[in-house]
Amino acid sequence: MNINHKMLLIIRCLISNNETSCTLDSVLASLEMTQRVFYYHFEKINYLLKQNKEEQIQIRNGIISFSHSTKIALSQLVKQSELSFSPEVRADLITLLIGLQANVSQAMLSDKLGITRKTLSLDFTRLKEQLLIKGIEIKTSKKRGYWFFGDENTIRYCLIEAVCQLLIQMPQMVPVYFEEALQRIKPADFNYVDALRSFIHSDFGLQSIYHEESLELLSYYLIICALRKSGSSTIIHDESICQSPEYLIAQRLIAVLDNQFAIHIPQAETEYLALVMLSIKLYRFNEKNIFDSIDSLKFCSDLIDAFEVYACVRFRNREKMTQQFLLHIRPMLYRLKYFIKVQNLMFAEIREKYQSIYLQTELAVNAISERYHIQVPQDEIAYLCVFFSAWLKDAEVLERVPNILLICGSGLGVSIMLKDQIDAIFAGACNTAILERSAFTPQLINQYSGIITSIDLGITSEKIIQVHPILTRDDEALLTRWFITHIANDKDKDLAEQLAAYIEEKAPGQPHNILISEIWRIINGTQKPASATKQFVLDPGIVQIIEAGCSLYEGIRMACLPMVKQGYFSWQYYDEIIAQIEANGLYSLIGPGILLAHAKLSPSVNKMGFGFAFFQKPMKDKGELVDILIVLCTTNNEVHKEPLKDVITLIREQENMEVLREIVRQNKQGLLFQTLQIMLHSAEGGSEK
């Protein structure tokens, strides 16, 4: 565990004098810290002491006490934190040095960070990979040293992202690096950063409009604009922004900085700075001053709708909630559209404290983000989570129909598809919410009418039923029987049982579960979901017969090989599939001997596809025999859903699988592809050819 800034503040306060005790109130007053924040980081400090086999700090009756040996150990922790940087911190420091200064050399970086050339080379390799994903390259030459090459807005986003991370881990380093960069281009006998921050906080009169943390971030944005003013600058042109009050404030800021501090920012940066101010968190946000490039009101309403579905609630005062929500949604949409980074110091704490609500918020955001062509990062989701958490106190839990919790160890796409299948069976008879396995706790059993899971939860209860991620016909029948027996109201339950008994008497030999399932459909007016109308296009290059015997992991690798070669995904996706199996076991066995191998949505996937690998010698893993692997990769949560329904229809027909396995035994590759293609086309519309 690394020591963060708040932990360092607490430790330094405790060891600042010769005493080994002090009052809790005096520490809180000195640090200007709340009890909740103090205790949160205090526990982390004690955890580090325990790891080092040192005596822990005690708090009794408002008195903090510790031994002399503990005080020495705390001093050592401070020294260690000051002398060594983690790889993540080094990456952020390298980003700042290259982004803010000219003529940055390898020797300079090595000296600044206190690391060897070899360690620096490893850091550079990792950083280059991370930046390349965002379209940024690190260039170098003897004359210029290192510099960033790519979209200027993205480069600035990466710089502020590094600032935000360092403000959490090493806040004392941020102003030092910015000051050094300014002094190199224009030496002065005063501290630029301190003077600029003081000016923005007080003299310029912005403290009544913006949060204090946002103003600090604005000061760093201003310095970045001054230091990176060469070249084409930022490419943002939006006429409506020029009409906003923020544009006028940006003009005044640029003029005053030039006159008072000799910090020159080109007028071309005015629009960019106005957008920064529109994007940071505001106390006031007048409707008439807002330009909505995205219909923020509709986005807000859609997001609340989606959250209500996943959380199985209904907010009572939607109008008031929406108006307050817009105060955050509007600046957030500016940030997302113009790639402007803000700081969320509480992200990890929010996600840990509100696990269930965070996951429901994440699902709701993902459900609508594609519709608006935006990607919402985790720190923004955390802000939304806090908002929903506050309003849940005024929400109505939907109890008119049962609330079912769906737990799936697979990716979000398959989780949503499993939800669609369950909703199709029960058709309005229940509300279903999705939760990841990592967020499940036994206490949730009492909060829901029932729990449907695709993985073993290690708990036995009549309220829990386990099914395949892609429902088989037996799953459907068992689900319906379970629902009627344990979940449904007495009236529907009795009616279904009576009809089933009557039909069994008149038509003996029919499976009881199937009868119950079909009767339930009739009672509730449920229709089986329509099949896809678009023809399934199968790629012959990723359908193969594998003769050699192998382990499951080797088999998955062989199934992935042609898909990697043809650019469907990189080998990272294979690693993610294996990680899913190691975490959840064979979580996606969708039929006897048939494994659907996939991982969560990943940037390593380039296009949607289904790869089929048939093994003449079945692979054995955890007691299961697998002879058919279907590798699924997708770029979003929608594009693969219809083709996947065709695959489900195919494997549900036992005769289909027997035919395919016979062709595999005969080792007829061409015939296998042709037959598989015909069967998948026949699956469209539910026909059986």
Side-chain angles (χ1 to χ4, degrees):
M1 178 190 292
N2 292 324
I3 300 179
N4 62 35
H5 175 52
K6 284 188 169 56
M7 293 168 68
L8 275 175
L9 289 177
I10 293 171
I11 293 173
R12 285 179 177 140
C13 183
L14 295 178
I15 63 175
S16 60
N17 53 52
N18 295 325
E19 303 298 325
T20 56
S21 66
C22 56
T23 66
L24 175 59
D25 288 341
S26 66
V27 172
L28 295 178
S30 174
L31 298 175
E32 296 182 350
M33 188 179 292
T34 65
Q35 273 199 23
R36 183 179 64 82
V37 173
F38 173 83
Y39 275 107
Y40 177 76
H41 293 90
F42 173 78
E43 292 298 330
K44 290 185 175 183
I45 295 170
N46 265 344
Y47 179 76
L48 279 176
L49 290 170
K50 185 178 179 181
Q51 278 190 321
N52 295 337
K53 297 181 179 178
E54 298 286 351
E55 188 178 346
Q56 296 181 43
I57 306 169
Q58 304 294 324
I59 300 181
R60 291 193 179 92
N61 300 322
I63 303 296
I64 304 173
S65 60
F66 45 90
S67 66
H68 183 67
S69 62
T70 299
K71 187 173 184 178
I72 295 173
L74 291 172
S75 300
Q76 290 297 321
L77 287 176
V78 173
K79 287 181 181 179
Q80 289 171 14
S81 70
E82 291 173 343
L83 293 174
S84 62
F85 300 132
S86 68
E88 293 77 19
V89 169
R90 290 200 303 269
D92 291 329
L93 293 174
I94 292 170
T95 300
L96 279 190
L97 284 167
I98 295 175
L100 298 178
Q101 299 194 29
N103 303 316
V104 176
S105 66
Q106 191 179 56
M108 173 187 171
L109 289 170
S110 181
D111 180 62
K112 277 279 183 187
L113 301 175
I115 55 177
T116 63
R117 297 276 181 101
K118 184 178 180 180
T119 302
L120 181 62
S121 177
L122 292 172
D123 286 345
F124 253 98
T125 300
R126 286 191 291 264
L127 182 59
K128 283 180 178 179
E129 290 175 355
Q130 294 168 7
L131 293 175
L132 200 57
I133 294 173
K134 299 175 181 178
I136 305 300
E137 296 180 60
I138 301 179
K139 301 276 190 178
T140 183
S141 70
K142 289 184 178 180
K143 289 185 177 180
R144 288 186 61 182
Y146 292 106
W147 78 92
F148 291 133
F149 178 79
D151 175 67
E152 179 63 22
N153 288 337
T154 307
I155 292 172
R156 294 184 183 193
Y157 182 93
C158 293
L159 288 173
I160 292 295
E161 190 172 42
V163 168
C164 292
Q165 293 298 325
L166 289 170
L167 286 173
I168 298 172
Q169 297 294 333
M170 305 287 290
Q172 70 276 14
M173 302 299 294
V174 178
V176 171
Y177 275 43
F178 275 85
E179 181 66 27
E180 184 179 283
L182 283 169
Q183 293 286 353
R184 283 187 70 178
I185 61 170
K186 197 172 185 65
D189 57 0
F190 61 91
N191 187 296
Y192 278 110
V193 175
D194 287 348
L196 181 59
R197 286 196 297 193
S198 175
F199 167 73
I200 291 174
H201 276 73
S202 55
D203 297 345
F204 207 68
L206 295 177
Q207 73 277 8
S208 62
I209 305 174
Y210 300 93
H211 289 289
E212 185 176 342
E213 294 84 356
S214 299
L215 289 175
E216 182 178 11
L217 211 56
L218 176 60
S219 67
Y220 292 128
Y221 265 114
L222 286 164
I223 297 172
I224 287 172
C225 289
L227 294 172
R228 298 190 60 82
K229 61 190 175 186
S230 60
S232 61
S233 189
T234 52
I235 311 298
I236 294 178
H237 300 296
D238 197 325
E239 288 298 325
S240 60
I241 299 301
C242 300
Q243 309 301 320
S244 67
E246 285 73 21
Y247 187 85
L248 297 176
I249 295 174
Q251 283 183 318
R252 289 171 53 212
L253 265 175
I254 290 173
V256 172
L257 291 178
D258 200 0
N259 294 331
Q260 291 192 19
F261 300 98
I263 297 176
H264 179 66
I265 298 175
Q267 287 297 322
E269 297 282 358
T270 308
E271 198 169 342
Y272 178 78
L273 285 174
L275 282 166
V276 168
M277 286 187 280
L278 282 167
S279 300
I280 59 182
K281 297 188 71 65
L282 306 175
Y283 284 121
R284 295 198 300 261
F285 219 111
N286 294 328
E287 182 76 31
K288 62 182 180 181
N289 295 331
I290 302 307
F291 167 71
D292 283 344
S293 56
I294 296 176
D295 187 342
S296 56
L297 182 60
K298 189 173 186 309
F299 180 92
C300 187
S301 180
D302 287 349
L303 183 57
I304 295 173
D305 287 343
F307 184 86
E308 285 183 336
V309 170
Y310 286 108
C312 292
V313 297
R314 181 171 291 118
F315 294 105
R316 293 187 178 94
N317 195 342
R318 276 288 292 261
E319 184 177 353
K320 182 179 179 182
M321 177 185 182
T322 301
Q323 290 303 315
Q324 290 192 15
F325 208 4
L326 282 171
L327 297 179
H328 177 77
I329 291 294
R330 286 199 176 102
M332 184 192 81
L333 292 177
Y334 274 110
R335 293 193 290 270
L336 298 179
K337 180 181 178 182
Y338 295 107
F339 216 45
I340 293 172
K341 174 72 178 176
V342 295
Q343 181 183 15
N344 187 346
L345 294 173
M346 302 293 287
F347 165 67
E349 189 174 346
I350 290 169
R351 189 168 62 172
E352 182 177 341
K353 184 175 180 179
Y354 302 102
Q355 285 186 17
S356 178
I357 301 172
Y358 179 87
L359 287 168
Q360 290 161 354
T361 306
E362 187 175 37
L363 287 166
V365 168
N366 290 337
I368 70 166
S369 58
E370 187 178 347
R371 190 185 317 159
Y372 288 89
H373 308 292
I374 58 173
Q375 287 187 330
V376 184
Q378 289 184 324
D379 51 358
E380 296 284 6
I381 293 175
Y383 283 129
L384 300 174
C385 166
V386 172
F387 179 86
F388 280 126
S389 174
W391 275 87
L392 278 174
K393 298 173 184 176
D394 192 42
E396 169 193 359
V397 178
L398 299 179
E399 295 179 341
R400 290 175 297 170
V401 292
N403 292 319
I404 302 294
L405 182 61
L406 172 59
I407 300 174
C408 191
S410 311
L412 178 62
V414 175
S415 300
I416 292 174
M417 183 159 183
L418 179 53
K419 181 181 186 300
D420 289 344
Q421 295 174 79
I422 291 169
D423 288 345
I425 294 172
F426 299 139
C430 67
N431 297 307
T432 52
I434 301 175
L435 192 68
E436 285 190 357
R437 172 64 180 91
S438 59
F440 173 77
T441 60
Q443 289 76 19
L444 290 173
I445 297 174
N446 297 324
Q447 297 178 24
Y448 288 86
S449 305
I451 295 175
I452 301 173
T453 174
S454 63
I455 52 177
D456 185 8
L457 298 178
I459 299 173
T460 302
S461 170
E462 64 180 20
K463 294 176 69 174
I464 300 174
I465 184 170
Q466 185 173 348
V467 296
H468 295 94
I470 299 174
L471 298 179
T472 64
R473 288 179 174 175
D474 285 343
D475 283 335
E476 287 187 355
L478 289 171
L479 267 173
T480 308
R481 181 69 181 181
W482 168 81
F483 188 87
I484 293 173
T485 304
H486 301 293
I487 312 298
N489 62 60
D490 292 337
K491 182 180 177 182
D492 284 346
K493 188 184 303 182
D494 292 343
L495 180 57
E497 289 282 7
Q498 290 170 19
L499 287 171
Y502 177 78
I503 294 173
E504 277 190 298
E505 180 183 344
K506 300 299 180 183
Q510 295 298 317
H512 187 76
N513 281 338
I514 300 295
L515 283 173
I516 292 289
S517 179
E518 294 305 316
I519 291 167
W520 178 262
R521 290 186 189 278
I522 295 169
I523 293 173
N524 287 277
T526 311
Q527 299 296 322
K528 294 184 179 179
S531 300
T533 56
K534 186 176 179 180
Q535 193 175 63
F536 192 111
V537 179
L538 188 62
D539 185 344
I542 54 177
V543 177
Q544 55 183 321
I545 295 175
I546 297 173
E547 301 178 46
C550 60
S551 68
L552 178 65
Y553 289 2
E554 290 169 344
I556 296 174
R557 187 175 184 84
M558 285 188 278
C560 289
L561 179 60
M563 301 186 77
V564 172
K565 287 183 176 179
Q566 294 194 40
Y568 282 87
F569 50 77
S570 68
W571 281 115
Q572 181 185 337
Y573 189 65
Y574 162 78
D575 295 333
E576 292 166 1
I577 292 173
I578 299 304
Q580 280 274 44
I581 293 174
E582 289 179 345
N584 301 311
L586 298 182
Y587 60 91
S588 55
L589 275 171
I590 57 177
I594 307 170
L595 180 67
L596 179 68
H598 68 97
K600 298 181 180 182
L601 283 180
S602 168
S604 59
V605 176
N606 302 315
K607 55 183 177 178
M608 188 276 290
F610 288 82
F612 291 82
F614 295 82
F615 295 80
Q616 291 185 342
K617 297 179 180 179
M619 303 164 289
K620 188 172 183 179
D621 189 84
K622 298 178 177 63
E624 297 283 353
L625 290 174
V626 177
D627 65 339
I628 299 176
L629 272 177
I630 304 172
V631 179
L632 163 63
C633 61
T634 184
T635 54
N636 58 52
N637 292 322
E638 297 295 329
V639 67
H640 66 291
K641 289 173 71 172
E642 294 301 332
L644 186 54
K645 290 177 183 178
D646 296 336
V647 174
I648 296 168
T649 303
L650 165 72
I651 66 175
R652 281 179 169 176
E653 297 300 329
Q654 189 60 34
E655 291 180 4
N656 287 343
M657 307 318 298
E658 290 174 3
V659 169
L660 293 174
R661 286 184 168 107
E662 180 57 34
I663 295 173
V664 172
R665 281 191 286 271
Q666 296 178 22
N667 203 24
K668 295 181 178 180
Q669 176 76 40
L671 180 60
L672 175 66
F673 171 73
Q674 293 174 5
T675 306
L676 186 57
Q677 183 78 300
I678 291 170
M679 288 178 173
L680 286 169
H681 288 178
S682 299
E684 296 161 14
S687 60
E688 297 179 8
K689 297 182 183 179

